[in-house]
Amino acid sequence: MDAPDQNLITDVRGVLVGNAASPTLKSGVTVLTSDTPFTASVSVMGGAPGTRETDLLAPDKLVDRVDALVLSGGSAFGLEACGGVAEALRRAGRGFQAGTMSVPIVPGAILFDLMNGGEKDWTQNPYRELGEAAYRNAATTFDIGTEGAGYGALTGTLKGGLGSASARVGEITVGALVAVNPVGSVTPENSRHFWAAPFEQSGEFGGLGADPSSGHSGAPFGHKIAALQQTNTTIAIVATDAKLTKAECYRLSVAAHDGIARAIVPAHTPFDGDLVFGLSTGIVDLPEDRATTLAHIGAVAATSLARAIARGVHAARAEAGDLLPTWSDA
């Protein structure tokens, strides 16, 4: 398994990602899109999700292509970001044809960052504008850490962030993108070693390796559960350029949830809205043994997502008013 050049989800051919954020708000939006519609599905394993248009991503639903996926802060207010993206796409002539109208398909998911120290007393919801800005910024390269949907994210004990990673399996590329805001922790108590350390490549999140003094037997919730209670969620996208059906994208998203469990302890709690979108840009044909190849892609997606989670926290930067330290300062 080789790591592509950028170690970002945009190493998957056809994928573009854009970020927008407000330092005053301590929140932001990340948009994944492509020049052409792509196949996507979703799997939700957290107990407190916040979503838009995810029902249509079920394999039995009519629409089988989407124009963009949105990850946003802001809790329910952040779902407005999808509207900003949809409007930008409509102006570009993109969308599902319904008679004479083009209706952009823009599923999205939100995380809760309303109690992270930012100014939230807005008079007009800011997320629609942030969503449109993130869409305009979409490109083949982007920054991670305190960026986009991860701008105001917090883990159980450290500042969270936006993370990404990628890997190649022969001619196929797999990538992950994640906003890390769980009630759980990404490191054992009183340790800078990441739970995801066994999957690290080339020192991408510090190179400390696994903590030799700690087992994976259940870390405490840390400071966040006491202070913020039901205010969490890790939302992610995994992508591949392998040509997958909608049902296969669903299986990809299910398999990728293992990456959350490998990198965050505890994961998938009643307080989290853990969600993974799975998508295919449909460039590389699969061999005849599709099931075996899909299993391999899913395993690599899970590993990539675990790495992306650690990378997002590792890259977070300190800013005025932060409630928790960054990994670098802990």
Side-chain angles (χ1 to χ4, degrees), residues 66-123:
V66 305
D67 298 290
L69 296 171
V70 175
L71 307 180
S72 179
S75 188
F77 301 104
L79 293 175
E80 282 293 311
C82 300
V85 176
E87 182 58 30
L89 284 160
R90 186 195 66 81
R91 290 197 297 267
R94 295 278 300 273
F96 180 80
Q97 287 302 126
T100 60
M101 290 292 295
S102 294
V103 182
I105 307 300
V106 185
I110 50 86
L111 56 81
F112 189 105
D113 58 5
L114 297 180
M115 298 172 65
N116 65 356
E119 296 182 11
K120 307 299 196 294
D121 58 343
W122 63 74
T123 56

Side-chain angles (χ1 to χ4, degrees), residues 120-286:
K120 307 299 196 294
D121 58 343
W122 63 74
T123 56
Q124 182 174 338
N125 188 317
Y127 288 97
R128 188 180 185 90
E129 183 177 337
L130 285 170
E132 187 166 349
Y135 173 77
R136 290 197 305 267
N137 291 336
T140 56
T141 188
F142 60 96
D143 293 327
I144 63 172
T146 306
E147 305 289 346
Y151 197 97
L154 303 172
T155 76
T157 56
L158 298 170
K159 192 170 180 179
L162 184 77
S164 191
S166 63
R168 283 202 185 100
V169 184
E171 296 299 314
I172 294 169
T173 304
V174 179
L177 177 70
V178 60
V180 189
N181 186 64
V183 67
S185 300
V186 298
T187 63
E189 188 176 17
N190 301 318
S191 171
R192 300 178 77 239
H193 298 257
F194 285 98
W195 289 118
F199 312 103
E200 186 174 12
Q201 295 188 21
S202 303
E204 62 191 339
F205 41 85
L208 298 183
D211 186 344
S213 65
S214 179
H216 207 299
S217 58
F221 282 103
H223 309 296
K224 189 178 181 185
I225 187 65
L228 305 184
Q229 289 296 329
Q230 300 176 30
T231 57
N232 313 281
T233 290
T234 296
I235 47 179
I237 303 170
V238 292
T240 181
D241 50 14
K243 191 177 292 184
L244 303 184
T245 66
K246 196 176 181 184
E248 288 168 337
C249 284
Y250 172 70
R251 294 310 314 170
L252 176 65
S253 65
V254 170
H257 270 284
D258 286 356
I260 295 178
R262 292 169 184 169
I264 298 168
V265 178
H268 305 141
T269 75
F271 309 110
D272 289 290
D274 295 346
L275 171 152
V276 179
F277 293 105
L279 74 89
S280 163
T281 57
I283 295 172
V284 182
D285 288 323
L286 291 185

